[in-house]
Amino acid sequence: MSNQTSVYDDLIADGDDVEALVTGLSPDQWSTATPAPGWTVKHQIAHLAFVSHLAALSATDPDAFAEHVADARRDFQAAVNNALTAYMELPTDALVERWRQERDTAAKALAAVDPTGTVPWLVTPLPPSVLAAAGMMELFGHGQDIADALGRTRELTDRIGHLAWFGFRTRDFGYQAHGLTPPTQEFRVELTGPSGVVWEFGPPDATQRVTGPAVDFALLVSRRRHRDDLSLTAQGEEADRWLDVAQAYRGPAGPGRRPGQFAKR
């Protein structure tokens, strides 16, 4: 995995890559339905802009952040939908420009926070590098929705190592989303990046193991592909169950993607 101190630069770079997916789109393409029910390409970018705005506030003005997300803590989806309305009213060029400013501000503000400290977030305070990695997961998942809607193939880099680490760190979220008790034993996860580098997480002697491509792991934990369409291998009953429920975000799992909905990797 690339050095954690570079996660902020990598966050900016991933944002630029997703922006490239929507550069030059026609009005009809902006209105293309994505695999997320009810969301067009424009909805996806509006959501990314809103999340970037929250991240910037968390790092620069915790009091304003607390006021801004009070409703979100009561009903996150309703708050997201309300926020999206303002972004959706913008012309697409203005929306992209605002998103670019929001994400750059967020990355630079998080980088300026004491790395040993935390910033407020929706459920619990997070170290700034963890929130940046969460932002990269947002970009990855929603960027994949856009790519799928437009029939594009993304060229991914070893920056995905941050997502591999984040997906491992958030293992218990999937169990909790399905009303299951997370296992107490630690897992071993070994993932291969696009360049061939191997990232290893967890104790080497763990009996519960997951191995495979890091890109496939990111697709799984962002719930953008069904496990049947990915080249991930589980050893151990709990590791196998994890691949059925894995997600790298809190809250309801949603329907996810169907087996065979997309070409098998």
Side-chain angles (χ1 to χ4, degrees), residues 151-188:
R152 307 276 179 85
T153 299
R154 295 193 291 171
E155 294 296 327
L156 298 168
T157 72
D158 283 350
R159 293 195 301 269
I160 205 166
H162 297 294
L163 279 64
W165 169 82
F166 187 74
F168 171 79
R169 185 184 189 276
T170 55
R171 183 200 69 175
D172 291 355
F173 288 179
Y175 290 93
Q176 293 162 352
H178 287 81
L180 301 171
T181 301
T184 56
Q185 65 264 51
E186 294 186 74
F187 287 10
R188 175 72 168 182

PDB file of all heavy atoms in Angstrom, residues 151-188:
ATOM      1  N   GLY A 151     -20.760   2.605 -19.758  1.00  0.00           N
ATOM      2  CA  GLY A 151     -20.066   1.561 -20.491  1.00  0.00           C
ATOM      3  C   GLY A 151     -18.572   1.794 -20.595  1.00  0.00           C
ATOM      4  O   GLY A 151     -17.931   1.392 -21.570  1.00  0.00           O
ATOM      5  N   ARG A 152     -17.988   2.409 -19.568  1.00  0.00           N
ATOM      6  CA  ARG A 152     -16.559   2.714 -19.564  1.00  0.00           C
ATOM      7  C   ARG A 152     -15.794   1.698 -18.716  1.00  0.00           C
ATOM      8  O   ARG A 152     -16.330   1.121 -17.775  1.00  0.00           O
ATOM      9  CB  ARG A 152     -16.302   4.116 -18.996  1.00  0.00           C
ATOM     10  CG  ARG A 152     -17.101   5.232 -19.665  1.00  0.00           C
ATOM     11  CD  ARG A 152     -16.435   5.726 -20.914  1.00  0.00           C
ATOM     12  NE  ARG A 152     -17.223   6.773 -21.552  1.00  0.00           N
ATOM     13  CZ  ARG A 152     -17.165   8.062 -21.229  1.00  0.00           C
ATOM     14  NH1 ARG A 152     -16.366   8.456 -20.244  1.00  0.00           N
ATOM     15  NH2 ARG A 152     -17.893   8.950 -21.874  1.00  0.00           N
ATOM     16  N   THR A 153     -14.530   1.492 -19.044  1.00  0.00           N
ATOM     17  CA  THR A 153     -13.634   0.676 -18.237  1.00  0.00           C
ATOM     18  C   THR A 153     -12.592   1.577 -17.609  1.00  0.00           C
ATOM     19  O   THR A 153     -11.935   2.354 -18.310  1.00  0.00           O
ATOM     20  CB  THR A 153     -12.931  -0.404 -19.089  1.00  0.00           C
ATOM     21  OG1 THR A 153     -13.929  -1.263 -19.658  1.00  0.00           O
ATOM     22  CG2 THR A 153     -11.975  -1.235 -18.231  1.00  0.00           C
ATOM     23  N   ARG A 154     -12.446   1.496 -16.292  1.00  0.00           N
ATOM     24  CA  ARG A 154     -11.495   2.364 -15.601  1.00  0.00           C
ATOM     25  C   ARG A 154     -10.127   1.712 -15.500  1.00  0.00           C
ATOM     26  O   ARG A 154     -10.021   0.502 -15.308  1.00  0.00           O
ATOM     27  CB  ARG A 154     -12.007   2.688 -14.188  1.00  0.00           C
ATOM     28  CG  ARG A 154     -13.279   3.499 -14.183  1.00  0.00           C
ATOM     29  CD  ARG A 154     -13.558   4.053 -12.805  1.00  0.00           C
ATOM     30  NE  ARG A 154     -13.907   3.009 -11.858  1.00  0.00           N
ATOM     31  CZ  ARG A 154     -14.031   3.209 -10.548  1.00  0.00           C
ATOM     32  NH1 ARG A 154     -13.785   4.412 -10.042  1.00  0.00           N
ATOM     33  NH2 ARG A 154     -14.376   2.227  -9.749  1.00  0.00           N
ATOM     34  N   GLU A 155      -9.094   2.531 -15.619  1.00  0.00           N
ATOM     35  CA  GLU A 155      -7.727   2.076 -15.395  1.00  0.00           C
ATOM     36  C   GLU A 155      -7.359   2.423 -13.955  1.00  0.00           C
ATOM     37  O   GLU A 155      -7.170   3.589 -13.626  1.00  0.00           O
ATOM     38  CB  GLU A 155      -6.770   2.760 -16.381  1.00  0.00           C
ATOM     39  CG  GLU A 155      -6.998   2.380 -17.839  1.00  0.00           C
ATOM     40  CD  GLU A 155      -6.745   0.909 -18.113  1.00  0.00           C
ATOM     41  OE1 GLU A 155      -5.856   0.324 -17.443  1.00  0.00           O
ATOM     42  OE2 GLU A 155      -7.432   0.331 -18.975  1.00  0.00           O
ATOM     43  N   LEU A 156      -7.291   1.415 -13.099  1.00  0.00           N
ATOM     44  CA  LEU A 156      -7.040   1.639 -11.681  1.00  0.00           C
ATOM     45  C   LEU A 156      -5.571   1.454 -11.353  1.00  0.00           C
ATOM     46  O   LEU A 156      -4.861   0.705 -12.029  1.00  0.00           O
ATOM     47  CB  LEU A 156      -7.907   0.703 -10.855  1.00  0.00           C
ATOM     48  CG  LEU A 156      -9.417   0.930 -11.043  1.00  0.00           C
ATOM     49  CD1 LEU A 156     -10.212  -0.202 -10.423  1.00  0.00           C
ATOM     50  CD2 LEU A 156      -9.844   2.262 -10.446  1.00  0.00           C
ATOM     51  N   THR A 157      -5.113   2.128 -10.311  1.00  0.00           N
ATOM     52  CA  THR A 157      -3.706   2.133  -9.936  1.00  0.00           C
ATOM     53  C   THR A 157      -3.539   1.574  -8.526  1.00  0.00           C
ATOM     54  O   THR A 157      -4.516   1.220  -7.851  1.00  0.00           O
ATOM     55  CB  THR A 157      -3.149   3.567  -9.956  1.00  0.00           C
ATOM     56  OG1 THR A 157      -3.694   4.296  -8.832  1.00  0.00           O
ATOM     57  CG2 THR A 157      -3.527   4.294 -11.249  1.00  0.00           C
ATOM     58  N   ASP A 158      -2.291   1.543  -8.074  1.00  0.00           N
ATOM     59  CA  ASP A 158      -2.020   1.062  -6.720  1.00  0.00           C
ATOM     60  C   ASP A 158      -2.528   2.012  -5.636  1.00  0.00           C
ATOM     61  O   ASP A 158      -2.419   1.695  -4.443  1.00  0.00           O
ATOM     62  CB  ASP A 158      -0.521   0.818  -6.531  1.00  0.00           C
ATOM     63  CG  ASP A 158      -0.063  -0.481  -7.179  1.00  0.00           C
ATOM     64  OD1 ASP A 158      -0.923  -1.274  -7.602  1.00  0.00           O
ATOM     65  OD2 ASP A 158       1.167  -0.692  -7.288  1.00  0.00           O
ATOM     66  N   ARG A 159      -3.094   3.134  -6.033  1.00  0.00           N
ATOM     67  CA  ARG A 159      -3.780   3.956  -5.033  1.00  0.00           C
ATOM     68  C   ARG A 159      -4.901   3.172  -4.364  1.00  0.00           C
ATOM     69  O   ARG A 159      -5.344   3.516  -3.259  1.00  0.00           O
ATOM     70  CB  ARG A 159      -4.340   5.231  -5.682  1.00  0.00           C
ATOM     71  CG  ARG A 159      -3.283   6.198  -6.178  1.00  0.00           C
ATOM     72  CD  ARG A 159      -3.867   7.576  -6.470  1.00  0.00           C
ATOM     73  NE  ARG A 159      -4.921   7.571  -7.467  1.00  0.00           N
ATOM     74  CZ  ARG A 159      -4.735   7.743  -8.772  1.00  0.00           C
ATOM     75  NH1 ARG A 159      -3.513   7.902  -9.265  1.00  0.00           N
ATOM     76  NH2 ARG A 159      -5.763   7.749  -9.623  1.00  0.00           N
ATOM     77  N   ILE A 160      -5.358   2.117  -5.010  1.00  0.00           N
ATOM     78  CA  ILE A 160      -6.436   1.311  -4.452  1.00  0.00           C
ATOM     79  C   ILE A 160      -6.000   0.609  -3.167  1.00  0.00           C
ATOM     80  O   ILE A 160      -6.834   0.057  -2.430  1.00  0.00           O
ATOM     81  CB  ILE A 160      -6.943   0.302  -5.499  1.00  0.00           C
ATOM     82  CG1 ILE A 160      -8.389  -0.093  -5.207  1.00  0.00           C
ATOM     83  CG2 ILE A 160      -6.042  -0.942  -5.556  1.00  0.00           C
ATOM     84  CD1 ILE A 160      -9.067  -0.808  -6.346  1.00  0.00           C
ATOM     85  N   GLY A 161      -4.703   0.639  -2.872  1.00  0.00           N
ATOM     86  CA  GLY A 161      -4.230   0.068  -1.613  1.00  0.00           C
ATOM     87  C   GLY A 161      -4.883   0.697  -0.400  1.00  0.00           C
ATOM     88  O   GLY A 161      -5.101   0.024   0.617  1.00  0.00           O
ATOM     89  N   HIS A 162      -5.199   1.981  -0.475  1.00  0.00           N
ATOM     90  CA  HIS A 162      -5.895   2.633   0.636  1.00  0.00           C
ATOM     91  C   HIS A 162      -7.273   2.007   0.848  1.00  0.00           C
ATOM     92  O   HIS A 162      -7.739   1.860   1.983  1.00  0.00           O
ATOM     93  CB  HIS A 162      -6.055   4.127   0.362  1.00  0.00           C
ATOM     94  CG  HIS A 162      -4.768   4.871   0.259  1.00  0.00           C
ATOM     95  ND1 HIS A 162      -3.910   5.031   1.323  1.00  0.00           N
ATOM     96  CD2 HIS A 162      -4.184   5.500  -0.797  1.00  0.00           C
ATOM     97  CE1 HIS A 162      -2.854   5.736   0.935  1.00  0.00           C
ATOM     98  NE2 HIS A 162      -2.999   6.024  -0.345  1.00  0.00           N
ATOM     99  N   LEU A 163      -7.940   1.634  -0.242  1.00  0.00           N
ATOM    100  CA  LEU A 163      -9.261   1.021  -0.148  1.00  0.00           C
ATOM    101  C   LEU A 163      -9.161  -0.397   0.394  1.00  0.00           C
ATOM    102  O   LEU A 163     -10.032  -0.852   1.142  1.00  0.00           O
ATOM    103  CB  LEU A 163      -9.946   1.014  -1.518  1.00  0.00           C
ATOM    104  CG  LEU A 163     -10.617   2.318  -1.957  1.00  0.00           C
ATOM    105  CD1 LEU A 163      -9.587   3.438  -2.129  1.00  0.00           C
ATOM    106  CD2 LEU A 163     -11.365   2.121  -3.260  1.00  0.00           C
ATOM    107  N   ALA A 164      -8.089  -1.092   0.011  1.00  0.00           N
ATOM    108  CA  ALA A 164      -7.873  -2.435   0.547  1.00  0.00           C
ATOM    109  C   ALA A 164      -7.738  -2.372   2.066  1.00  0.00           C
ATOM    110  O   ALA A 164      -8.365  -3.158   2.801  1.00  0.00           O
ATOM    111  CB  ALA A 164      -6.629  -3.048  -0.084  1.00  0.00           C
ATOM    112  N   TRP A 165      -6.929  -1.442   2.544  1.00  0.00           N
ATOM    113  CA  TRP A 165      -6.747  -1.272   3.987  1.00  0.00           C
ATOM    114  C   TRP A 165      -8.063  -0.867   4.654  1.00  0.00           C
ATOM    115  O   TRP A 165      -8.433  -1.407   5.707  1.00  0.00           O
ATOM    116  CB  TRP A 165      -5.682  -0.213   4.243  1.00  0.00           C
ATOM    117  CG  TRP A 165      -5.587   0.231   5.670  1.00  0.00           C
ATOM    118  CD1 TRP A 165      -4.931  -0.399   6.688  1.00  0.00           C
ATOM    119  CD2 TRP A 165      -6.192   1.406   6.243  1.00  0.00           C
ATOM    120  NE1 TRP A 165      -5.091   0.302   7.864  1.00  0.00           N
ATOM    121  CE2 TRP A 165      -5.852   1.408   7.620  1.00  0.00           C
ATOM    122  CE3 TRP A 165      -6.971   2.436   5.723  1.00  0.00           C
ATOM    123  CZ2 TRP A 165      -6.283   2.420   8.483  1.00  0.00           C
ATOM    124  CZ3 TRP A 165      -7.399   3.442   6.579  1.00  0.00           C
ATOM    125  CH2 TRP A 165      -7.050   3.426   7.942  1.00  0.00           C
ATOM    126  N   PHE A 166      -8.793   0.046   4.044  1.00  0.00           N
ATOM    127  CA  PHE A 166     -10.032   0.536   4.636  1.00  0.00           C
ATOM    128  C   PHE A 166     -11.077  -0.570   4.679  1.00  0.00           C
ATOM    129  O   PHE A 166     -11.801  -0.719   5.676  1.00  0.00           O
ATOM    130  CB  PHE A 166     -10.561   1.727   3.832  1.00  0.00           C
ATOM    131  CG  PHE A 166     -11.737   2.413   4.458  1.00  0.00           C
ATOM    132  CD1 PHE A 166     -11.574   3.222   5.566  1.00  0.00           C
ATOM    133  CD2 PHE A 166     -13.019   2.244   3.938  1.00  0.00           C
ATOM    134  CE1 PHE A 166     -12.666   3.860   6.154  1.00  0.00           C
ATOM    135  CE2 PHE A 166     -14.105   2.871   4.517  1.00  0.00           C
ATOM    136  CZ  PHE A 166     -13.928   3.685   5.625  1.00  0.00           C
ATOM    137  N   GLY A 167     -11.167  -1.369   3.618  1.00  0.00           N
ATOM    138  CA  GLY A 167     -12.124  -2.473   3.615  1.00  0.00           C
ATOM    139  C   GLY A 167     -11.814  -3.506   4.682  1.00  0.00           C
ATOM    140  O   GLY A 167     -12.722  -4.083   5.283  1.00  0.00           O
ATOM    141  N   PHE A 168     -10.528  -3.741   4.922  1.00  0.00           N
ATOM    142  CA  PHE A 168     -10.122  -4.648   6.002  1.00  0.00           C
ATOM    143  C   PHE A 168     -10.476  -4.042   7.353  1.00  0.00           C
ATOM    144  O   PHE A 168     -10.996  -4.731   8.246  1.00  0.00           O
ATOM    145  CB  PHE A 168      -8.623  -4.916   5.905  1.00  0.00           C
ATOM    146  CG  PHE A 168      -8.053  -5.660   7.086  1.00  0.00           C
ATOM    147  CD1 PHE A 168      -8.221  -7.035   7.197  1.00  0.00           C
ATOM    148  CD2 PHE A 168      -7.355  -4.990   8.088  1.00  0.00           C
ATOM    149  CE1 PHE A 168      -7.704  -7.728   8.296  1.00  0.00           C
ATOM    150  CE2 PHE A 168      -6.841  -5.675   9.174  1.00  0.00           C
ATOM    151  CZ  PHE A 168      -7.014  -7.046   9.281  1.00  0.00           C
ATOM    152  N   ARG A 169     -10.209  -2.760   7.517  1.00  0.00           N
ATOM    153  CA  ARG A 169     -10.449  -2.086   8.796  1.00  0.00           C
ATOM    154  C   ARG A 169     -11.932  -2.077   9.159  1.00  0.00           C
ATOM    155  O   ARG A 169     -12.285  -2.101  10.344  1.00  0.00           O
ATOM    156  CB  ARG A 169      -9.928  -0.645   8.710  1.00  0.00           C
ATOM    157  CG  ARG A 169      -9.990   0.146  10.004  1.00  0.00           C
ATOM    158  CD  ARG A 169      -9.532   1.583   9.773  1.00  0.00           C
ATOM    159  NE  ARG A 169      -9.387   2.313  11.013  1.00  0.00           N
ATOM    160  CZ  ARG A 169     -10.384   2.929  11.649  1.00  0.00           C
ATOM    161  NH1 ARG A 169     -11.610   2.862  11.164  1.00  0.00           N
ATOM    162  NH2 ARG A 169     -10.151   3.591  12.779  1.00  0.00           N
ATOM    163  N   THR A 170     -12.805  -2.027   8.176  1.00  0.00           N
ATOM    164  CA  THR A 170     -14.247  -1.906   8.417  1.00  0.00           C
ATOM    165  C   THR A 170     -14.953  -3.263   8.304  1.00  0.00           C
ATOM    166  O   THR A 170     -16.154  -3.318   8.033  1.00  0.00           O
ATOM    167  CB  THR A 170     -14.872  -0.908   7.430  1.00  0.00           C
ATOM    168  OG1 THR A 170     -14.559  -1.315   6.082  1.00  0.00           O
ATOM    169  CG2 THR A 170     -14.328   0.494   7.655  1.00  0.00           C
ATOM    170  N   ARG A 171     -14.239  -4.335   8.536  1.00  0.00           N
ATOM    171  CA  ARG A 171     -14.799  -5.680   8.386  1.00  0.00           C
ATOM    172  C   ARG A 171     -16.144  -5.846   9.087  1.00  0.00           C
ATOM    173  O   ARG A 171     -17.081  -6.443   8.534  1.00  0.00           O
ATOM    174  CB  ARG A 171     -13.811  -6.715   8.945  1.00  0.00           C
ATOM    175  CG  ARG A 171     -14.255  -8.153   8.776  1.00  0.00           C
ATOM    176  CD  ARG A 171     -13.533  -9.102   9.731  1.00  0.00           C
ATOM    177  NE  ARG A 171     -13.935  -8.895  11.120  1.00  0.00           N
ATOM    178  CZ  ARG A 171     -13.524  -9.646  12.141  1.00  0.00           C
ATOM    179  NH1 ARG A 171     -12.668 -10.643  11.913  1.00  0.00           N
ATOM    180  NH2 ARG A 171     -13.931  -9.409  13.368  1.00  0.00           N
ATOM    181  N   ASP A 172     -16.269  -5.314  10.301  1.00  0.00           N
ATOM    182  CA  ASP A 172     -17.456  -5.597  11.108  1.00  0.00           C
ATOM    183  C   ASP A 172     -18.712  -4.908  10.587  1.00  0.00           C
ATOM    184  O   ASP A 172     -19.829  -5.291  10.955  1.00  0.00           O
ATOM    185  CB  ASP A 172     -17.217  -5.185  12.558  1.00  0.00           C
ATOM    186  CG  ASP A 172     -16.192  -6.077  13.253  1.00  0.00           C
ATOM    187  OD1 ASP A 172     -15.747  -7.070  12.632  1.00  0.00           O
ATOM    188  OD2 ASP A 172     -15.826  -5.765  14.409  1.00  0.00           O
ATOM    189  N   PHE A 173     -18.565  -3.884   9.735  1.00  0.00           N
ATOM    190  CA  PHE A 173     -19.742  -3.155   9.260  1.00  0.00           C
ATOM    191  C   PHE A 173     -20.734  -4.073   8.551  1.00  0.00           C
ATOM    192  O   PHE A 173     -21.957  -3.932   8.685  1.00  0.00           O
ATOM    193  CB  PHE A 173     -19.331  -2.025   8.315  1.00  0.00           C
ATOM    194  CG  PHE A 173     -18.657  -0.854   8.977  1.00  0.00           C
ATOM    195  CD1 PHE A 173     -18.215   0.229   8.220  1.00  0.00           C
ATOM    196  CD2 PHE A 173     -18.463  -0.816  10.345  1.00  0.00           C
ATOM    197  CE1 PHE A 173     -17.583   1.311   8.817  1.00  0.00           C
ATOM    198  CE2 PHE A 173     -17.837   0.269  10.959  1.00  0.00           C
ATOM    199  CZ  PHE A 173     -17.402   1.334  10.181  1.00  0.00           C
ATOM    200  N   GLY A 174     -20.224  -4.993   7.739  1.00  0.00           N
ATOM    201  CA  GLY A 174     -21.117  -5.878   6.996  1.00  0.00           C
ATOM    202  C   GLY A 174     -21.931  -6.774   7.913  1.00  0.00           C
ATOM    203  O   GLY A 174     -23.131  -6.991   7.695  1.00  0.00           O
ATOM    204  N   TYR A 175     -21.284  -7.317   8.938  1.00  0.00           N
ATOM    205  CA  TYR A 175     -22.006  -8.143   9.907  1.00  0.00           C
ATOM    206  C   TYR A 175     -23.101  -7.323  10.590  1.00  0.00           C
ATOM    207  O   TYR A 175     -24.246  -7.770  10.728  1.00  0.00           O
ATOM    208  CB  TYR A 175     -21.041  -8.684  10.956  1.00  0.00           C
ATOM    209  CG  TYR A 175     -20.077  -9.727  10.443  1.00  0.00           C
ATOM    210  CD1 TYR A 175     -18.808  -9.361   9.987  1.00  0.00           C
ATOM    211  CD2 TYR A 175     -20.420 -11.077  10.422  1.00  0.00           C
ATOM    212  CE1 TYR A 175     -17.911 -10.331   9.529  1.00  0.00           C
ATOM    213  CE2 TYR A 175     -19.533 -12.040   9.978  1.00  0.00           C
ATOM    214  CZ  TYR A 175     -18.279 -11.656   9.524  1.00  0.00           C
ATOM    215  OH  TYR A 175     -17.397 -12.599   9.070  1.00  0.00           O
ATOM    216  N   GLN A 176     -22.737  -6.126  11.029  1.00  0.00           N
ATOM    217  CA  GLN A 176     -23.689  -5.278  11.747  1.00  0.00           C
ATOM    218  C   GLN A 176     -24.868  -4.889  10.864  1.00  0.00           C
ATOM    219  O   GLN A 176     -26.011  -4.852  11.327  1.00  0.00           O
ATOM    220  CB  GLN A 176     -22.964  -4.039  12.268  1.00  0.00           C
ATOM    221  CG  GLN A 176     -21.933  -4.360  13.337  1.00  0.00           C
ATOM    222  CD  GLN A 176     -20.920  -3.255  13.555  1.00  0.00           C
ATOM    223  OE1 GLN A 176     -20.876  -2.271  12.803  1.00  0.00           O
ATOM    224  NE2 GLN A 176     -20.071  -3.416  14.564  1.00  0.00           N
ATOM    225  N   ALA A 177     -24.609  -4.632   9.585  1.00  0.00           N
ATOM    226  CA  ALA A 177     -25.676  -4.240   8.664  1.00  0.00           C
ATOM    227  C   ALA A 177     -26.690  -5.360   8.457  1.00  0.00           C
ATOM    228  O   ALA A 177     -27.859  -5.100   8.137  1.00  0.00           O
ATOM    229  CB  ALA A 177     -25.086  -3.826   7.319  1.00  0.00           C
ATOM    230  N   HIS A 178     -26.251  -6.593   8.656  1.00  0.00           N
ATOM    231  CA  HIS A 178     -27.139  -7.746   8.481  1.00  0.00           C
ATOM    232  C   HIS A 178     -27.628  -8.313   9.809  1.00  0.00           C
ATOM    233  O   HIS A 178     -28.189  -9.413   9.861  1.00  0.00           O
ATOM    234  CB  HIS A 178     -26.414  -8.838   7.690  1.00  0.00           C
ATOM    235  CG  HIS A 178     -26.243  -8.513   6.242  1.00  0.00           C
ATOM    236  ND1 HIS A 178     -25.222  -7.692   5.775  1.00  0.00           N
ATOM    237  CD2 HIS A 178     -26.971  -8.860   5.155  1.00  0.00           C
ATOM    238  CE1 HIS A 178     -25.319  -7.577   4.465  1.00  0.00           C
ATOM    239  NE2 HIS A 178     -26.372  -8.266   4.060  1.00  0.00           N
ATOM    240  N   GLY A 179     -27.421  -7.577  10.899  1.00  0.00           N
ATOM    241  CA  GLY A 179     -27.894  -8.021  12.200  1.00  0.00           C
ATOM    242  C   GLY A 179     -27.136  -9.207  12.754  1.00  0.00           C
ATOM    243  O   GLY A 179     -27.660  -9.967  13.570  1.00  0.00           O
ATOM    244  N   LEU A 180     -25.877  -9.365  12.329  1.00  0.00           N
ATOM    245  CA  LEU A 180     -25.055 -10.482  12.765  1.00  0.00           C
ATOM    246  C   LEU A 180     -23.994 -10.004  13.763  1.00  0.00           C
ATOM    247  O   LEU A 180     -23.574  -8.850  13.718  1.00  0.00           O
ATOM    248  CB  LEU A 180     -24.358 -11.126  11.563  1.00  0.00           C
ATOM    249  CG  LEU A 180     -25.270 -11.658  10.457  1.00  0.00           C
ATOM    250  CD1 LEU A 180     -24.443 -12.073   9.249  1.00  0.00           C
ATOM    251  CD2 LEU A 180     -26.119 -12.817  10.968  1.00  0.00           C
ATOM    252  N   THR A 181     -23.576 -10.885  14.628  1.00  0.00           N
ATOM    253  CA  THR A 181     -22.504 -10.567  15.569  1.00  0.00           C
ATOM    254  C   THR A 181     -21.160 -10.782  14.885  1.00  0.00           C
ATOM    255  O   THR A 181     -20.887 -11.890  14.404  1.00  0.00           O
ATOM    256  CB  THR A 181     -22.590 -11.462  16.813  1.00  0.00           C
ATOM    257  OG1 THR A 181     -23.857 -11.263  17.445  1.00  0.00           O
ATOM    258  CG2 THR A 181     -21.470 -11.123  17.790  1.00  0.00           C
ATOM    259  N   PRO A 182     -20.319  -9.765  14.820  1.00  0.00           N
ATOM    260  CA  PRO A 182     -19.002  -9.952  14.189  1.00  0.00           C
ATOM    261  C   PRO A 182     -18.179 -10.992  14.925  1.00  0.00           C
ATOM    262  O   PRO A 182     -18.269 -11.114  16.149  1.00  0.00           O
ATOM    263  CB  PRO A 182     -18.369  -8.558  14.301  1.00  0.00           C
ATOM    264  CG  PRO A 182     -19.516  -7.619  14.451  1.00  0.00           C
ATOM    265  CD  PRO A 182     -20.545  -8.371  15.246  1.00  0.00           C
ATOM    266  N   PRO A 183     -17.392 -11.759  14.211  1.00  0.00           N
ATOM    267  CA  PRO A 183     -16.546 -12.763  14.866  1.00  0.00           C
ATOM    268  C   PRO A 183     -15.468 -12.095  15.704  1.00  0.00           C
ATOM    269  O   PRO A 183     -15.047 -10.969  15.431  1.00  0.00           O
ATOM    270  CB  PRO A 183     -15.937 -13.533  13.690  1.00  0.00           C
ATOM    271  CG  PRO A 183     -15.983 -12.577  12.546  1.00  0.00           C
ATOM    272  CD  PRO A 183     -17.216 -11.753  12.752  1.00  0.00           C
ATOM    273  N   THR A 184     -15.011 -12.802  16.732  1.00  0.00           N
ATOM    274  CA  THR A 184     -13.965 -12.248  17.588  1.00  0.00           C
ATOM    275  C   THR A 184     -12.578 -12.510  17.023  1.00  0.00           C
ATOM    276  O   THR A 184     -11.651 -11.755  17.305  1.00  0.00           O
ATOM    277  CB  THR A 184     -14.059 -12.863  18.996  1.00  0.00           C
ATOM    278  OG1 THR A 184     -13.982 -14.293  18.898  1.00  0.00           O
ATOM    279  CG2 THR A 184     -15.371 -12.478  19.664  1.00  0.00           C
ATOM    280  N   GLN A 185     -12.425 -13.566  16.240  1.00  0.00           N
ATOM    281  CA  GLN A 185     -11.098 -13.889  15.727  1.00  0.00           C
ATOM    282  C   GLN A 185     -10.684 -12.924  14.619  1.00  0.00           C
ATOM    283  O   GLN A 185     -11.520 -12.413  13.876  1.00  0.00           O
ATOM    284  CB  GLN A 185     -11.022 -15.343  15.220  1.00  0.00           C
ATOM    285  CG  GLN A 185     -11.887 -15.668  14.016  1.00  0.00           C
ATOM    286  CD  GLN A 185     -13.216 -16.276  14.404  1.00  0.00           C
ATOM    287  OE1 GLN A 185     -13.918 -15.733  15.238  1.00  0.00           O
ATOM    288  NE2 GLN A 185     -13.547 -17.398  13.791  1.00  0.00           N
ATOM    289  N   GLU A 186      -9.397 -12.679  14.540  1.00  0.00           N
ATOM    290  CA  GLU A 186      -8.872 -11.818  13.495  1.00  0.00           C
ATOM    291  C   GLU A 186      -8.765 -12.583  12.175  1.00  0.00           C
ATOM    292  O   GLU A 186      -8.580 -13.809  12.164  1.00  0.00           O
ATOM    293  CB  GLU A 186      -7.493 -11.290  13.896  1.00  0.00           C
ATOM    294  CG  GLU A 186      -7.513 -10.364  15.097  1.00  0.00           C
ATOM    295  CD  GLU A 186      -6.147  -9.772  15.360  1.00  0.00           C
ATOM    296  OE1 GLU A 186      -5.726  -8.884  14.591  1.00  0.00           O
ATOM    297  OE2 GLU A 186      -5.501 -10.213  16.327  1.00  0.00           O
ATOM    298  N   PHE A 187      -8.881 -11.846  11.071  1.00  0.00           N
ATOM    299  CA  PHE A 187      -8.773 -12.431   9.740  1.00  0.00           C
ATOM    300  C   PHE A 187      -7.419 -12.071   9.139  1.00  0.00           C
ATOM    301  O   PHE A 187      -6.806 -11.062   9.498  1.00  0.00           O
ATOM    302  CB  PHE A 187      -9.863 -11.899   8.814  1.00  0.00           C
ATOM    303  CG  PHE A 187     -11.238 -12.430   9.078  1.00  0.00           C
ATOM    304  CD1 PHE A 187     -11.531 -13.174  10.221  1.00  0.00           C
ATOM    305  CD2 PHE A 187     -12.268 -12.182   8.185  1.00  0.00           C
ATOM    306  CE1 PHE A 187     -12.812 -13.649  10.465  1.00  0.00           C
ATOM    307  CE2 PHE A 187     -13.543 -12.657   8.414  1.00  0.00           C
ATOM    308  CZ  PHE A 187     -13.827 -13.394   9.557  1.00  0.00           C
ATOM    309  N   ARG A 188      -6.998 -12.862   8.191  1.00  0.00           N
ATOM    310  CA  ARG A 188      -5.837 -12.549   7.352  1.00  0.00           C
ATOM    311  C   ARG A 188      -6.353 -12.226   5.958  1.00  0.00           C
ATOM    312  O   ARG A 188      -7.145 -12.984   5.386  1.00  0.00           O
ATOM    313  CB  ARG A 188      -4.892 -13.754   7.283  1.00  0.00           C
ATOM    314  CG  ARG A 188      -3.711 -13.594   6.340  1.00  0.00           C
ATOM    315  CD  ARG A 188      -2.687 -12.622   6.892  1.00  0.00           C
ATOM    316  NE  ARG A 188      -1.430 -12.694   6.131  1.00  0.00           N
ATOM    317  CZ  ARG A 188      -0.355 -11.988   6.420  1.00  0.00           C
ATOM    318  NH1 ARG A 188      -0.375 -11.144   7.463  1.00  0.00           N
ATOM    319  NH2 ARG A 188       0.753 -12.098   5.708  1.00  0.00           N
TER     320      ARG A 188
END
